[in-house]
Amino acid sequence: NAGVTQTPKFQVLKTGQSMTLQCAQDMNHEYMSWYRQDPGMGLRLIHYSVGAGITDQGEVPNGYNVSRSTTEDFPLRLLSAAPSQTSVYFCASSYWEKGSPLHFGNGTRLTVT
Amino acid sequence: KQEVTQIPAALSVPEGENLVLNCSFTDSAIYNLQWFRQDPGKGLTSLLLIQSSQREQTSGRLNASLDKSSGRSTLYIAASQPGDSATYLCAVNSGGGADGLTFGKGTHLIIQP
């Protein structure tokens, strides 16, 4: 059971470039989300989805797009990378019921120069 | 807005000691509270989840308690081992779904051999 898989593990971008961070889960979880983790800021929610075809914004959505065409996949797109988007990005998933534990991927470390 | 505070921010203790990590939150209207462990360069691993109706949960050497009325949770680690060295985060779910999670900034724990 692979759980939550994120690719790539590391990425360096130049300002203005675009890219997609991939996230896939094999646990048939309805809920998927993207967080960024920055020193001194903790984990902040970027976007989330409660099922295929449904997405919504979290606390810090600006500069990011998401889509959910299947239950398994939830890619995060950076439209025009900025140095402020240098961070570690985590994808997470869970069942939708209240009280279901959240499962995290191992993260993507992104540097924007 | 829910705020979650973890004290201390860092802790170093000799192997074998019992220790307590603290988590406090400002809004007692929560659905559940979850404790996570994060190893360097890795994602978060769920350790214990306490529903709002529960007072504590136990898993092996770990015991988490919840006092909703006072806005506090503690994670008790018995007979600490060097392998317990990690950052421990608590997350409070105020919204029901996983998008309602608010994370603390974590306690960085070092167990000295």
Side-chain angles (χ1 to χ4, degrees):
Chain A
N1 192 341
V4 180
T5 302
Q6 289 185 239
T7 57
K9 292 185 179 180
F10 301 95
Q11 183 71 48
V12 179
L13 291 178
K14 292 187 177 288
T15 298
Q17 288 185 317
S18 62
M19 78 160 294
T20 299
L21 280 63
Q22 301 292 343
C23 175
Q25 54 91 10
D26 62 359
M27 297 172 281
N28 204 30
H29 286 163
E30 301 95 346
Y31 177 87
M32 295 185 75
S33 56
W34 279 100
Y35 291 87
R36 59 178 290 173
Q37 186 176 38
D38 302 289
M41 301 291 290
L43 278 152
R44 292 181 292 171
L45 183 65
I46 304 171
H47 285 285
Y48 66 97
S49 167
V50 301
I54 306 170
T55 64
D56 207 344
Q57 297 181 349
E59 181 184 356
V60 287
N62 292 341
Y64 308 95
N65 272 0
V66 292
S67 60
R68 183 99 179 266
S69 56
T70 67
T71 300
E72 295 79 18
D73 300 298
F74 191 44
L76 178 72
R77 296 182 185 84
L78 280 69
L79 309 173
S80 177
S84 61
Q85 293 179 304
T86 294
S87 186
V88 181
Y89 291 85
F90 289 101
C91 179
S93 72
S94 75
Y95 292 113
W96 183 238
E97 301 100 48
K98 285 185 291 186
S100 294
L102 202 55
H103 298 261
F104 280 81
N106 282 332
T108 294
R109 184 174 293 274
L110 175 68
T111 302
V112 183
T113 61
Chain B
K1 180 184 174 184
Q2 180 74 268
E3 294 181 4
V4 178
T5 303
Q6 291 188 246
I7 294 174
L11 182 63
S12 180
V13 300
E15 180 178 4
E17 282 200 5
N18 302 325
L19 56 99
V20 174
L21 307 182
N22 296 294
C23 173
S24 61
F25 46 95
T26 54
D27 185 348
S28 62
I30 68 170
Y31 286 94
N32 57 58
L33 184 145
Q34 197 166 353
W35 281 94
F36 293 89
R37 169 187 173 135
Q38 185 175 25
D39 294 288
K42 299 289 188 183
L44 281 68
T45 300
S46 179
L47 297 173
L48 289 164
L49 186 150
I50 311 177
Q51 303 293 352
S52 62
S53 59
Q54 297 174 320
R55 299 284 294 188
E56 64 180 310
Q57 281 283 349
T58 298
S59 176
R61 294 182 294 108
L62 304 179
N63 176 276
S65 68
L66 174 64
D67 184 343
K68 256 195 352 173
S69 60
S70 66
R72 293 182 182 177
S73 176
T74 61
L75 179 66
Y76 175 83
I77 303 177
S80 58
Q81 303 170 357
D84 295 330
S85 298
T87 297
Y88 291 81
L89 296 98
C90 73
V92 173
N93 191 330
S94 305
D99 57 296
L101 283 172
T102 302
F103 285 84
K105 293 180 182 177
T107 293
H108 181 55
L109 176 65
I110 296 175
I111 307 298
Q112 307 154 11

